[in-house]
Amino acid sequence: MASSGDSRYLEVKAGVKREEPIVVDIDASAGEAKDTGVLVREGAEATVVVAVHGAGAEDTTSASLVRIIAERGAKVSLVEIVAAGSDARHLEGVGIDAAENAVVECRQYALGGAKVAVGFATNLAGTSARLNLDMRYLVDEGATLDVNHVCRQRGRVTRSQITTSGILKEHAKKTMRETIDLIHGAKGAVGNEIETVLIAGDHVVNKTLPVILCDEDDVQGNHGASIGSVSPEQLAYLADRGISGEEATALFARAIFDDAVIHAPEASSRAAALSRAEEFLGAEMARDVAEGLGLTESEESAR
Amino acid sequence: MSETTERKRSEVADVDRSLYDFVMSEEGYERYADGLTPDIVRAISEKKDEPAWMLEMRLKALDVFHEMRMADNWGPDTSGLDMDHISTYVSPKTKQARDWDDVPEDIKTTFERLGIPEAERESLAGVGAQYDSEIVYHNMREEVAEQGVIYTTIEDALHDPQWEPVVHQYFGKLIPMRDHKFAALHYAVWSGGSFVYVPEGVTLSYPLQSYFRLNASGAGQFEHTLIIVEPGADLHFIEGCSAPKYYEANLHAGAVELYVKDHARLRYSTIENWSKNMYNLNTKRATVGADSRMEWVSGSFGSHVSYLYPTTILQGARSTCEFTGITFAGATQDLDTGCKVILNGADTTASVDTKSISKDGGVNTFRSSVVIGAKAERARATVSCSSLMLDDISRSDTIPAMDVRCGSASVGHEATIGRISDDTILYLMSRGCSEAEARTMVVNGFANPVSKELPLEYAVISRRRRFRTSTCRPRRPGTTCASTRFPSRSRRPSPKARSSRACRASSTRSRPASAPKPPHGSWPRRVTPATSRSRPA
């Protein structure tokens, strides 16, 4: 498990736009655990990538903790791709503090792992601080995903937009807690949560708990959720076009992998997504994903 | 306008509590000692001359109550509730009457002020009135009784050889005493409430209503309502409750068990207007058979603390639940309300629609749970909750949980919290409304989709409930808010007008123009002979 040697701290100086992503590479099959702290100074820009990979591991537990402080006017892009093997466990934790006018763009992909827990807490402390969080997940047969998103909006005119969508396969278990906490004094704040769940199999357990806490009147909090399977009418429509229910579900799954690969900003995260795609969709479709996105042969071979 | 500039707020008039805040003397009342002991439980049971199984159940429940702990980190604070200072049984020295004239004067005056006899005359098939721990009045229309409908107290049903086995079969089965600590308390000291049995295929054209009044200070009310709606039957049951305000805690821990059989329908409406020293820890549950329908309509306006989550178990295929609720939390109120629906049958559907308004530091928590079981094929559920914040010292939380375990089921949910949008006000003002009128329209429009479902035509208690708004600048330290009330279309009549109306209502038995037309063109007779029903003007 993690030791002091697995921890690191990085600072992006004021006004600097850091081109090279800060990569947290976790080999789940080796049970790696890493602790990363990133301080993005005033007006600076940085991209942080967490790539969890490692197929074929048995009974391993990996972990990643990322803490980010975004100072005034800073811009942080965070991409997390959790693509652990089908028998691995992974614990993912993110904490972000955003000051005035700071912008946090986050994309989370939970693509694999027997048991995956994702914790994400943001503190929009400064006026006009923003969070856009997009999460896509794919919970495989018999796997468990536990997600806890918390956004505390303390600053005035802060904005949060949390969008999650995913697929649950047979015997999958998923718990999604999403909390928007509109704290007293956050006048003009707006928080939105949206979740879409596709149930693609029987014996699933889908628990959704979207919470809006409101201690201020001049705010808006909204939540919407849609949970269900492909309807018989939709299946009939697809069947008319020669697509079976299984193929339709595979298309939805492929769309998640496409999205992950498109937004993976560097090689290790792309490789993690493609490797998991190959495990889940098969080699042919994974290659199709890579070719469709115009990935070079060298990148594929790196995988 | 800058995004951070503070804007005007809507002021909604608080509930006019003058209707409920009157106290009658407890002189001559039978009042058991405060606290909970086996002797008190035995005394209650002995007074009611209950079967042995009921006493056994009470004593077991008392043990469970002492054994169970309060849930940690759940809901509003109940530390102000000390059971050692609550009397669990207070009874006026009167027997249950079937004629208002036989009810003691002070109690009759109470219910007349609340409009119960008037509502009974105009729109109800039967009325039960509970005062503190005992039912003091119970009556039902003759033709309803002739259809085989039973509407009585649990105590009376227990003394009837025909109904005692039925009560034994159903009582405490839907809400087990281990459900939570206050369910156990309820079973230990329950008193009063209603037993309703609607035979197969019977439809009641008018609702039945039970009204619960807690007059005693530092006391609890623990009524039990047991309703059985047999296959193909249809019932609308209304429950109302109120109490005067005291400066010590009162407790309401009732229980409602509803059995809706196949192809049946039950609409259960509640208007709760307890005083602001009341801990309202009530438990309600319904089980619904195949092709049946359960409708809840809930208006929560009173109490200091409320834990109220009516639960529906859709056991039969194609059964339906509809929950409509509105909660208004003002100063000193912390109301944790919502509902729970468990969909077990195939093709079951549930719809939850709630509104809440918070003002003057009031705290609203909407809590719902939709559970779709593994065998609930093609089950559908929708949950919608909207909250309106009227000032920045209030609070509103929504905590909707969804647990789906069936692949073919679907759930939709939406929740919104916010204040009145400036754009909406601007739009209405551009159409000629004043700002105050615009805000009044918005608040009424917000509440009306739900509040129109409340049984307003049946009880004065709810007719007095209207939202009136005005605008004022945000309060600053050292200043007062000079709020001006703007009458809405539903303005409450003046005391003089009300008095005049009351005189008319009590001096004639003709049907008022606003009342629904009775079936077969005439008002049915009641069980009580008309000659003994004269009422003072």
Side-chain angles (χ1 to χ4, degrees), chain A residues 127-128 156-157 159 181-182 184 187-188 199 201-229 232, chain B residues 3-7 9 368 374 377 380 389-419:
Chain A
T127 302
S128 300
R156 291 187 167 214
V157 208
R159 295 281 183 275
D181 192 357
L182 299 159
H184 192 77
K187 291 190 182 299
I199 298 176
D202 290 327
H203 309 294
V204 296
V205 177
N206 176 80
K207 294 181 181 177
T208 300
L209 186 63
V211 175
I212 301 176
L213 307 175
C214 184
D215 198 15
E216 176 60 58
D217 69 330
D218 190 9
V219 295
Q220 282 179 45
N222 303 299
H223 176 266
S226 178
I227 304 162
S229 54
Chain B
E3 279 187 301
T4 56
T5 305
E6 291 191 11
R7 293 174 286 182
R9 293 202 177 83
S368 72
E377 298 291 344
R380 301 277 183 274
M389 297 274 289
L390 295 177
D391 56 46
D392 65 356
I393 54 171
S394 302
R395 185 177 176 92
S396 184
D397 299 337
T398 63
I399 308 174
M402 289 156 274
D403 185 344
V404 182
R405 293 166 187 245
C406 179
S408 59
S410 70
V411 177
H413 167 74
E414 60 178 24
T416 58
I417 297 180
R419 53 174 282 169

Side-chain angles (χ1 to χ4, degrees), chain A residues 229-245:
Chain A
S229 54
V230 183
S231 70
E233 294 78 16
Q234 290 167 322
L235 283 175
Y237 178 86
L238 292 166
D240 284 348
R241 279 137 190 88
I243 301 170
S244 67

Side-chain angles (χ1 to χ4, degrees), chain B residues 133-181:
Chain B
S133 298
E134 293 291 352
I135 293 284
V136 294
Y137 175 84
H138 226 287
N139 193 19
M140 186 168 60
R141 290 186 183 187
E142 191 176 310
E143 87 283 7
V144 178
E146 283 169 357
Q147 292 180 85
V149 175
I150 303 297
Y151 179 37
T152 183
T153 63
I154 303 263
E155 288 92 334
D156 284 350
L158 283 171
H159 290 132
D160 187 326
Q162 184 186 352
W163 297 109
E164 189 271 339
V166 178
V167 175
H168 196 175
Q169 181 185 347
Y170 290 100
F171 188 95
K173 300 297 189 297
L174 202 49
I175 303 173
M177 64 175 70
R178 288 194 171 274
D179 208 51
H180 56 83
K181 190 172 176 70

Side-chain angles (χ1 to χ4, degrees), chain B residues 419-465:
Chain B
R419 53 174 282 169
I420 298 172
S421 144
D422 286 346
D423 293 345
T424 306
I425 298 300
L426 188 65
Y427 174 83
L428 290 169
M429 289 173 73
S430 72
R431 261 72 186 151
C433 297
S434 70
E435 184 175 346
E437 286 169 339
R439 289 180 189 277
T440 300
M441 286 171 71
V442 172
V443 174
N444 278 325
F446 173 81
N448 273 357
V450 171
S451 62
K452 73 180 181 186
E453 298 295 326
L454 296 172
L456 298 182
E457 63 272 41
Y458 302 122
V460 170
I461 191 169
S462 54
R463 279 206 297 270
R464 307 283 164 85
R465 180 79 203 98

